[in-house]
Amino acid sequence: MASTSFSMYKASFAPKLVDSNKLLPRPYSQLLTSSVHLTHSCSLLPNGKSLKFQNLAIRNRFQCHALETREPPLFSLGNKFQLNDVIEAQQFDRDILSAIFGVAREMEKIEKNSPGSQILKGYLMATLFYEPSTRTRLSFESAMKRLGGEVLTTENAREFSSAAKGETLEDSIRTVEGYSDIIVMRHFESGAAKRAAATAGIPIINAGDGPGQHPSQWKHFRFWKDETNGCKPQALENVMSRGHTMNCLVGLVVVCLQQDRCDVMALLDIYTIEREIGKLDGINVALVGDLANGRTVRSLAYLLAKYENVKIYFVSPDVVKMKDDIKNYLTSAGVEWEESTDLLEVASKCDVVYQTRIQKERFGERIDLYEEARGKYIVNKDVLKAMQKHAVVMHPLPRLDEITVDVDDDPRAAYFRQAKNGLYIRMALLKLLLVGW
């Protein structure tokens, strides 16, 4: 049978029509591989990449057209995980998210059918929590134990560890890594997880850092009044520099500036949407409640931008609206978003209604503002009636009264399944960081 040769060049792959059994000229400065002889199949693996071709036989000739180029599989069984630590949502692209979700589905099977799994036998996980979070800590500890590993834990390292004596985070990490194989850390300072990862020689998983009490992340606001604008919050240094007459000082409020990263635990939210809706492209998502202070909604919005034809609706009281940084990011990523005050109308259009609680702890002494925001948007039976049959209600928990308890029995109430999915995602991350794919 006649065979055809062609060459691969760095600049491009140009389909050529060549006589059989003749080689193309080979400019060695550009050539990636030697000429390859093709017969029936025009599929080859130059430099580890897979190229697919459409071939056309013309007497003793072949005309090959390059259709697509694919990298070799990176997620094969036994390969090392691509990340050394899991710190922020920005580390993940669609391919790695999809692969992690595949592992999470395997973890679900293990949890249900193989309670004696020994995948992580001999490994020790340290949970180093500088602020309390019982649900997150127990979920990680359950994940480790269900895979045969062991756990070293501290419930409040901020008060009951050498940190209370003034030990630096870096020294604490260097000490704890000597006792364990992986550290799961939750910290009150934004950026603490990244500092820990830079220090440790073992994997670090960020279970939440900030938006806490680091001096560089907080500003003090006083409510001031001038003759034209009335009372409003303004940074104290700005008030003083502008020379405003402060006729009313109605108390000190501490406002946390938004952190510059996203909570990686939004992975479980994306995973839940895929499991519940069956897809991540072409969906409408309503983010409801405290959009200014919640890590989960900011992170979820960031990750949703990785998918096609997604539309996000923001429904919140004015005092806790989504910050401009996320809205600007979505716009730059080509994601359509819309702000609305009509929860019923939005719920009728969406595949996911993601409710969050109004975070009282973020309002300081301005309880009046908290009370004004609380209860404005509640998911109840009326919202369920407006929703589509396939749509779901999600919530990062804990909830207060922003979802009424009579919603719990509706099959579209996905928030407890969402919490369970967190177990599978954490099992997957522990497995991948410690033993690979």
Side-chain angles (χ1 to χ4, degrees), residues 386-401:
M387 290 172 57
Q388 302 174 66
K389 295 298 183 183
H390 74 278
V392 295
V393 178
M394 295 174 60
H395 192 298
L397 301 179
R399 71 166 166 184
L400 299 180
D401 54 3

Side-chain angles (χ1 to χ4, degrees), residues 49 51 58 60 67 84 91 98 117 132-133 161 182 202 215 283 304 309 326-327 372 379-380 406 423-424:
K49 291 186 177 181
L51 283 137
I58 305 177
N60 289 332
L67 296 180
N84 294 319
Q91 293 174 274
S98 179
S117 173
S133 181
S161 76
I182 189 169
I202 63 175
I283 61 173
L304 285 171
N309 300 318
I326 291 294
K327 291 187 284 190
E372 179 185 333
V379 174
N380 53 25
D406 57 0
L423 172 66
Y424 306 136

Side-chain angles (χ1 to χ4, degrees), residues 349-420:
K349 301 175 181 178
C350 286
D351 304 283
V352 178
V353 175
Y354 192 103
Q355 175 71 293
T356 63
R357 71 181 176 93
I358 305 297
Q359 300 185 35
K360 184 178 181 180
E361 62 271 24
R362 308 301 182 198
F363 286 80
E365 296 178 2
R366 291 307 309 269
I367 301 302
D368 57 322
L369 293 178
Y370 167 71
E371 293 296 340
E372 179 185 333
R374 178 187 176 189
K376 187 166 185 177
Y377 296 107
I378 294 177
V379 174
N380 53 25
K381 288 287 190 179
D382 290 335
V383 174
L384 287 178
K385 289 177 183 177
M387 290 172 57
Q388 302 174 66
K389 295 298 183 183
H390 74 278
V392 295
V393 178
M394 295 174 60
H395 192 298
L397 301 179
R399 71 166 166 184
L400 299 180
D401 54 3
E402 62 274 2
I403 300 178
T404 58
V405 293
D406 57 0
V407 172
D408 294 354
D409 294 332
D410 193 289
R412 291 169 293 179
Y415 29 91
F416 294 116
R417 298 193 296 272
Q418 176 185 352
K420 187 62 179 283

Side-chain angles (χ1 to χ4, degrees), residues 176-203:
V176 173
E177 73 172 334
Y179 310 146
S180 58
D181 301 294
I182 189 169
I183 296 173
V184 178
M185 190 182 80
R186 188 180 184 95
H187 204 281
F188 54 89
E189 291 183 5
S190 181
K194 189 168 285 188
R195 286 168 53 201
T199 300
I202 63 175

Side-chain angles (χ1 to χ4, degrees), residues 16-77:
K16 293 180 179 290
L17 191 64
V18 294
D19 289 333
S20 61
N21 297 320
K22 292 183 180 179
L23 296 180
L24 293 174
R26 300 196 303 170
Y28 288 97
S29 61
Q30 296 181 329
L31 194 58
L32 287 177
T33 63
S34 297
S35 297
V36 181
H37 292 274
L38 303 176
T39 54
H40 284 295
S41 174
C42 285
S43 193
L44 67 154
L45 292 169
N47 263 12
K49 291 186 177 181
S50 172
L51 283 137
K52 289 187 175 180
F53 297 96
Q54 180 181 17
N55 56 358
L56 174 65
I58 305 177
R59 295 183 181 178
N60 289 332
R61 300 179 176 186
F62 278 96
Q63 188 173 18
C64 293
H65 300 277
L67 296 180
E68 58 181 313
T69 304
R70 292 180 180 174
E71 296 290 344
L74 299 175
F75 313 123
S76 301
L77 186 65

Side-chain angles (χ1 to χ4, degrees), residues 241-253:
S241 66
R242 293 175 186 174
H244 292 291
T245 302
M246 290 178 284
N247 296 327
C248 62
L249 289 175
V250 291
L252 183 67
V253 180

